[in-house]
Amino acid sequence: MFPNPEDQADYDSTPTGKGVILVVKLGRATGTTMGWDTEIESYTRTVDEYSIKETSEEMAVLPYGNANGPFSAPDDSGSILFDRKGRIFGMLSGGAGTTNEINITYLTPCWYIEDYIKKYFPNSFRSDVVG
């Protein structure tokens, strides 16, 4: 899930002891929100009107807390999610839930997106962070 295995040591567990990761996003509809990536992976399969089958790996994100409202809303799709160190974590791909109390957002992990890009553009690369 992480771009580099050594990055895993940078993440802490929540006070509950579960290995979830704090993520932040800036969305068009909801602005800046924080949530918990659950590390629960799921696969989404779609078939469009031309019978093209696509499979995507996604992960569930829950809101930081119910009092803070939903993590995402319509028009937030495509927003980039960051970890607490500002590294790209994934891209918001959809959600479920109709109230502030029930809200699940799905993200596509950055490594999945990068692998997909490499498939079609094998000479592409991420540029280094310049400080």
Side-chain angles (χ1 to χ4, degrees):
M1 172 174 126
F2 296 92
N4 302 304
E6 61 271 14
D7 289 340
Q8 292 184 18
D10 293 339
Y11 293 97
D12 296 330
S13 295
T14 61
T16 62
K18 296 186 177 168
V20 295
I21 298 167
L22 181 68
V23 292
V24 178
K25 71 123 188 71
L26 175 60
R28 179 176 179 212
T30 55
T32 303
T33 57
M34 297 187 336
W36 295 110
D37 174 72
T38 61
E39 295 190 302
I40 297 172
E41 298 176 359
S42 63
Y43 290 90
T44 303
R45 293 181 178 85
T46 59
V47 178
D48 69 8
E49 61 191 79
Y50 302 106
S51 298
I52 298 173
K53 297 178 182 178
E54 294 289 331
T55 300
S56 176
E57 185 165 334
E58 297 182 349
M59 301 175 84
V61 177
L62 301 175
Y64 185 77
N66 286 341
N68 300 321
F71 179 76
S72 67
D75 288 336
D76 281 342
S77 294
S79 298
I80 300 298
L81 284 75
F82 299 91
D83 67 11
R84 65 181 183 171
K85 290 191 171 190
R87 296 175 293 199
I88 294 175
F89 191 76
M91 183 176 70
L92 195 147
S93 54
T98 57
T99 67
N100 289 349
E101 291 81 26
I102 302 171
N103 180 262
I104 300 173
T105 297
Y106 295 97
L107 70 87
T108 303
C110 67
W111 62 263
Y112 186 88
I113 297 168
E114 188 173 19
D115 287 348
Y116 200 79
I117 291 170
K118 289 274 190 199
K119 179 178 174 181
Y120 294 98
F121 302 99
N123 296 325
S124 65
F125 60 92
R126 287 188 292 161
S127 60
D128 292 332
V129 175
V130 178

